[in-house]
């Protein structure tokens, strides 16, 4: 009896078929800078720089309805920005500038994502900025994060 159960279990295991790999289409692609719409590039840079410069001046000019989506405008309040700027200024010092690393295009959302490195006085911690521009030329997301250095 045990042998029959053993062979049935073996037969069941070997009869199961594995799933075939499904080809997944890339949802994001890198965009060449020369192929990029200049207004999108300028919008991302100007709004990102304006946000980060507010950490130096302690004055934030709110985004207008033509510059950013409602969600971004609701989240980018002077109070929230002041709290974030305080943390960043303590660790990184004054904001100096932005350098564009790359631009990706999301096919599913039809958004352009601009990826910048942020230059600060103190070089101990690296930070990056991501600005997302939607199809209406409005900022739909803006985020900064600390980049962890990878050991050699």
């Amino acid at each position: 009896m045990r042998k029959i159960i053993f062979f049935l279990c073996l037969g069941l295991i070997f009869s199961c078929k594995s799933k075939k790999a499904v080809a997944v289409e890339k949802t994001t692609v890198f965009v060449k800078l020369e192929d990029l719409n200049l207004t999108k590039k300028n919008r991302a840079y100007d709004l990102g720089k304006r946000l980060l410069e507010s950490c130096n001046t302690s004055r934030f000019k709110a985004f207008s309805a033509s510059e950013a989506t409602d969600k971004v405008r609701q989240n980018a309040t002077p109070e929230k920005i002041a709290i974030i700027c305080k943390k960043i200024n303590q660790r990184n010092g004054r904001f100096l500038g932005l350098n564009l690393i790359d631009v990706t295009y999301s096919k599913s959302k039809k958004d352009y994502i601009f990826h910048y490195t942020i230059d600060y006085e103190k070089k101990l911690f690296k930070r990056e900025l991501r600005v997302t521009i939607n199809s209406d030329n409005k900022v739909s997301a803006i985020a900064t994060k600390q980049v962890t250095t990878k050991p050699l």
Side-chain angles (χ1 to χ4, degrees), residues 56-145:
N56 292 347
T57 62
S58 299
R59 293 187 186 123
F60 174 66
K61 180 184 172 195
F63 298 133
S64 69
S66 64
E67 293 174 326
T69 61
D70 291 337
K71 184 178 178 183
V72 171
R73 290 193 350 248
Q74 289 171 356
N75 287 331
T77 63
E79 296 81 21
K80 288 182 182 179
I81 292 173
I83 292 168
I84 294 169
C85 284
K86 183 178 178 183
K87 291 177 187 176
I88 291 174
N89 285 344
Q90 286 176 347
R91 296 189 91 189
N92 300 71
R94 293 181 56 82
F95 166 72
L96 301 175
L98 290 174
N99 297 315
L100 183 63
I101 298 173
D102 61 36
V103 181
T104 55
Y105 177 71
S106 172
K107 292 179 182 178
S108 59
K109 296 180 181 177
K110 295 182 175 40
D111 290 342
Y112 286 89
I113 303 156
F114 294 82
H115 184 207
Y116 296 94
T117 58
I118 307 171
D119 292 329
Y120 287 104
E121 281 180 327
K122 298 177 187 176
K123 304 295 181 191
L124 299 175
F125 301 99
K126 283 186 158 186
R127 291 194 75 80
E128 292 180 349
L129 177 74
R130 288 190 186 265
V131 180
T132 305
I133 304 287
N134 64 14
S135 58
D136 297 330
N137 280 339
K138 293 182 180 182
V139 173
S140 59
I142 189 164
T144 179
K145 71 174 189 172

Side-chain angles (χ1 to χ4, degrees), residues 21-86:
V22 178
V24 177
E25 183 181 335
K26 279 187 155 183
T27 58
T28 59
V29 291
F30 285 98
V31 178
K32 294 180 183 178
L33 294 179
E34 54 270 5
D35 296 340
L36 190 61
N37 184 344
L38 194 59
T39 57
K40 288 185 188 300
K41 183 179 175 185
N42 290 340
R43 170 76 41 107
Y45 180 81
D46 292 340
L47 296 182
K49 186 174 178 181
R50 184 167 86 190
L51 179 70
L52 294 169
E53 280 182 343
S54 69
C55 291
N56 292 347
T57 62
S58 299
R59 293 187 186 123
F60 174 66
K61 180 184 172 195
F63 298 133
S64 69
S66 64
E67 293 174 326
T69 61
D70 291 337
K71 184 178 178 183
V72 171
R73 290 193 350 248
Q74 289 171 356
N75 287 331
T77 63
E79 296 81 21
K80 288 182 182 179
I81 292 173
I83 292 168
I84 294 169
C85 284
K86 183 178 178 183

Side-chain angles (χ1 to χ4, degrees), residues 10-29:
L10 279 177
L12 181 65
I13 291 172
F14 287 115
S15 67
C16 294
K17 295 181 181 179
S18 63
K19 295 180 181 178
K20 292 183 180 180
V22 178
V24 177
E25 183 181 335
K26 279 187 155 183
T27 58
T28 59
V29 291

